[in-house]
Amino acid sequence: MADNSKEELLQLIKRFGDYLTVKIGNLDSQLVGALAGLAVALLFTWRLLRSPSGPQRRQPKRQTPIPSTSGVSTHSNANLTYSEDSRAQNVIDEFFQPVKPTLGQIVRQKLSEGRKVTCQLRGVVLEETSPEELQNQATVRSSVLEVLLEITKFCDLYLIDRVLDDESEKKVLLALEDAGVFTSGGLIKDKVLFCSTENGRTSFVRQLEPDWHIDSNPEIVSQLARFIKYQLHISPIKLERTAANVFSSPSLEQFFGCI
């Protein structure tokens, strides 16, 4: 529509120019001035029509879309959060995981804070179970050694047993020394006592008045039940509990959970 208006205006100016050429000689100066002014006005209007109808809007520059990384970023952040939560949970689990007690703690707990312990040698500390065997040799059970040393750290320990002769005593003391029982300082040779009868062992225990007595002879355990606070009967065969203060175990180390 704007192109048609421009064309009509051009035709009008052309015809007006032709008319002026014909009539210019017959007009006075005043009319000529008026016509000139009209021509200028028409020319100015035509130029306005040729120019753009108004200031063009500046088209916003289209930006090339950048591939979105929000998915990757979100996934990465999720993984990072999960990793941090996992590490935090591991720390919490380790912190609250039950701590395994040491052998020393177990010994103290089992012995109920007892301060004095008497213990038979044969069948408990030594491999040999009869006085006759001790005449030939004495062998310290390696599995019981660690428990024995822990007991000496917390308790006043006495080792007592029946032997048939002096040579048996020497064999027993030598075996204990070779095993390192005396190196810790908790047990000395003077606390290893020997007697010639089973009743003699019972007499030793009653005189020492321990908090605990450990023995493999059920008769002695039964006799001492009235006098000793706690007793541990070492027997490969599980027997019925004869008294509330008498405990039973196949070995000393099993009683303390070492094996």
Side-chain angles (χ1 to χ4, degrees):
M1 183 176 179
D3 291 341
N4 292 335
S5 298
K6 292 177 182 180
E7 187 66 28
E8 291 176 358
L9 182 59
L10 289 174
Q11 293 296 329
L12 177 62
I13 293 173
K14 185 178 181 181
R15 287 197 298 269
F16 181 69
D18 293 339
Y19 175 78
L20 286 179
T21 303
V22 175
K23 299 293 184 179
I24 192 68
N26 301 323
L27 298 177
D28 57 12
S29 60
Q30 186 177 1
L31 181 59
V32 172
L35 292 175
L38 178 61
V40 172
L42 290 173
L43 180 61
F44 181 75
T45 302
W46 175 71
R47 287 186 176 181
L48 287 178
L49 290 175
R50 286 192 61 187
S51 64
S53 58
Q56 292 184 348
R57 291 184 180 179
R58 186 175 182 180
Q59 296 295 329
K61 185 177 180 181
R62 298 187 63 181
Q63 297 181 353
T64 304
I66 300 175
S68 175
T69 59
S70 59
V72 177
S73 178
T74 302
H75 182 67
S76 178
N77 290 339
N79 288 339
L80 181 59
T81 302
Y82 174 79
S83 178
E84 291 176 351
D85 291 345
S86 179
R87 287 198 299 268
Q89 187 62 44
N90 289 339
V91 172
I92 293 173
D93 292 343
E94 290 178 6
F95 182 79
F96 287 102
Q97 185 177 6
V99 179
K100 186 178 180 181
T102 63
L103 178 59
Q105 292 172 330
I106 295 174
V107 168
R108 295 186 67 174
Q109 181 182 10
K110 287 281 190 177
L111 295 180
S112 303
E113 302 296 332
R115 301 306 301 169
K116 184 182 288 187
V117 177
T118 55
C119 180
Q120 182 188 8
L121 283 164
R122 289 179 291 113
V124 181
V125 177
L126 303 177
E127 296 282 359
E128 291 73 24
T129 58
S130 67
E132 290 76 16
E133 290 180 274
L134 292 179
Q135 288 181 304
N136 299 320
Q137 63 179 15
T139 309
V140 176
R141 301 175 65 238
S142 58
S143 58
V144 80
L145 184 59
E146 187 178 4
V147 176
L148 202 65
L149 295 177
E150 285 295 333
I151 293 176
T152 62
K153 293 178 182 179
F154 304 106
C155 304
D156 189 13
L157 177 64
Y158 292 83
L159 300 178
I160 307 171
D161 217 332
R162 173 192 171 203
V163 291
L164 299 179
D165 50 38
D166 293 342
E167 288 299 318
S168 297
E169 291 185 19
K170 293 178 181 179
K171 285 183 173 62
V172 170
L173 290 174
L174 181 60
L176 293 173
E177 185 174 10
D178 290 343
V181 174
F182 302 125
T183 58
S184 65
L187 182 66
I188 58 177
K189 291 182 180 181
D190 290 343
K191 291 183 179 181
V192 181
L193 308 176
F194 297 98
C195 55
S196 58
T197 63
E198 294 293 291
N199 288 334
R201 186 161 81 251
T202 302
S203 179
F204 270 139
V205 173
R206 291 191 60 180
Q207 291 178 25
L208 291 169
E209 298 181 340
D211 298 300
W212 279 83
H213 176 63
I214 304 168
D215 208 294
S216 62
N217 189 325
E219 293 183 4
I220 291 180
V221 170
S222 178
Q223 293 174 13
L224 294 173
R226 295 177 297 166
F227 308 103
I228 308 304
K229 189 176 181 179
Y230 300 107
Q231 288 194 95
L232 175 60
H233 178 213
I234 301 299
S235 172
I237 302 174
K238 188 175 182 180
L239 303 175
E240 291 186 6
R241 198 167 181 177
T242 57
N245 63 340
V246 177
F247 300 88
S248 179
S249 177
S251 65
L252 187 61
E253 55 270 36
Q254 282 185 275
F255 178 71
F256 290 107
C258 294
I259 58 174

